[in-house]
Amino acid sequence: EIVLTQSPGTLSLSPGERATLSCRASQSVSSSYLAWYQQKPGQAPRLLIYGASSRATGIPDRFSGSGSGTDFTLTISRLEPEDFAVYYCQQYGSSSIFTFGPGTKVDIK
Amino acid sequence: QVQLQESGPGLVKPSETLSLTCTVSGGSISSYYWSWIRQPAGKGLEWIGRIYTSGSTNYNPSLKSRVTMSVDTSKNQFSLKLSSVTAADTAVYYCAREPWVITTFYGMDVWGQGTTVTVSS
């Protein structure tokens, strides 16, 4: 089973700053099967990125995804107040199983 | 647009079976994979398993022995049963849609609002 590790656990930034979130896999992951989600308190997760770098419908272009193999990155170019949330990466593996990373919390500095 | 709504008992006794249903509205349940995900309070997301509209399933190995999923296309619903529950199964349970085209995964793009299930006597 592929294990996903996200870093940092918490990222404290100010609005307008750039956020760089990391997702590392214990073994190589197909980029086609790597997604990112945003979750705010009391809400369901929201799909941001699929296929490692494709934005989901309605997602602002300040969100971008990159990476391949075992290292993937979610970048928020300029943080807006509504972007402070928890972000999860997710992968789909060869045994038709999904796993999520533990999450990175982006909070206001 | 497509909406998902989880339903089921909010309180389940230890050792009993948790049963939840997800109703799909605003679109067809056909030709999609449908997943269940849970989240204990203050913790991360755990994928429980998925079902295709044909009835084909995949389960999280850590839960496989206790999980059963089913689909009722006539009602646009799919269901989760988790047996022999303990306090560790207390969580918010979400259902979600997985659009796939051949081998391309488009992410879990529609989620239910979640339903809280507490396991307690």
Side-chain angles (χ1 to χ4, degrees):
Chain A
E1 178 184 326
I2 296 176
V3 176
L4 299 178
T5 304
Q6 291 187 243
S7 62
T10 300
L11 193 54
S12 297
L13 295 168
S14 300
E17 290 194 295
R18 181 184 186 90
T20 303
L21 287 67
S22 173
C23 176
R24 180 162 291 177
S26 59
Q27 52 188 283
S28 186
V29 171
S30 168
S31 296
S32 298
Y33 300 150
L34 194 288
W36 290 91
Y37 299 84
Q38 175 194 67
Q39 188 179 32
K40 298 179 182 178
Q43 297 184 16
R46 172 194 182 197
L47 175 67
L48 297 176
I49 301 286
Y50 64 90
S53 60
S54 297
R55 273 188 300 276
T57 303
I59 301 303
D61 60 7
R62 64 179 181 274
F63 291 92
S64 63
S66 63
S68 63
T70 60
D71 290 297
F72 297 88
T73 300
L74 175 70
T75 301
I76 310 170
S77 60
R78 288 179 56 85
L79 282 163
E80 297 288 340
E82 62 267 29
D83 298 337
F84 292 93
V86 179
Y87 292 84
Y88 295 94
C89 58
Q90 175 202 44
Q91 71 86 31
Y92 174 78
S94 58
S95 302
S96 300
I97 292 167
F98 286 100
T99 55
F100 288 93
T104 290
K105 182 178 182 180
V106 179
D107 67 13
I108 300 175
K109 188 174 182 180
Chain B
Q1 72 279 20
V2 175
Q3 294 184 314
L4 307 183
Q5 179 67 58
E6 304 91 348
S7 59
L11 181 63
V12 182
K13 289 182 169 54
S15 81
E16 294 190 344
T17 296
L18 177 161
S19 295
L20 296 174
T21 295
C22 183
T23 300
V24 180
S25 60
S28 175
I29 197 172
S30 296
S31 304
Y32 288 96
Y33 282 95
W34 301 92
S35 268
W36 288 97
I37 302 98
R38 70 181 183 179
Q39 184 173 38
K43 297 190 177 181
L45 301 167
E46 180 181 33
W47 180 73
I48 300 170
R50 67 199 283 213
I51 188 164
Y52 190 64
T53 47
S54 65
S56 172
T57 56
N58 302 107
Y59 299 144
N60 185 325
S62 68
L63 298 168
K64 187 173 184 177
S65 63
R66 300 194 291 130
V67 172
T68 303
M69 294 183 183
S70 60
V71 61
D72 186 338
T73 55
S74 67
K75 294 182 178 179
N76 250 25
Q77 293 177 334
F78 60 103
S79 298
L80 166 69
K81 291 187 185 298
L82 181 65
S83 63
S84 305
V85 297
T86 70
D89 296 309
T90 295
V92 176
Y93 285 75
Y94 296 101
C95 55
R97 186 179 78 169
E98 294 176 44
W100 285 78
V101 176
I102 314 296
T103 58
T104 300
F105 172 55
Y106 289 89
M108 292 180 179
D109 66 338
V110 181
W111 292 65
Q113 65 186 26
T115 188
T116 300
V117 178
T118 301
V119 178
S120 175
S121 56

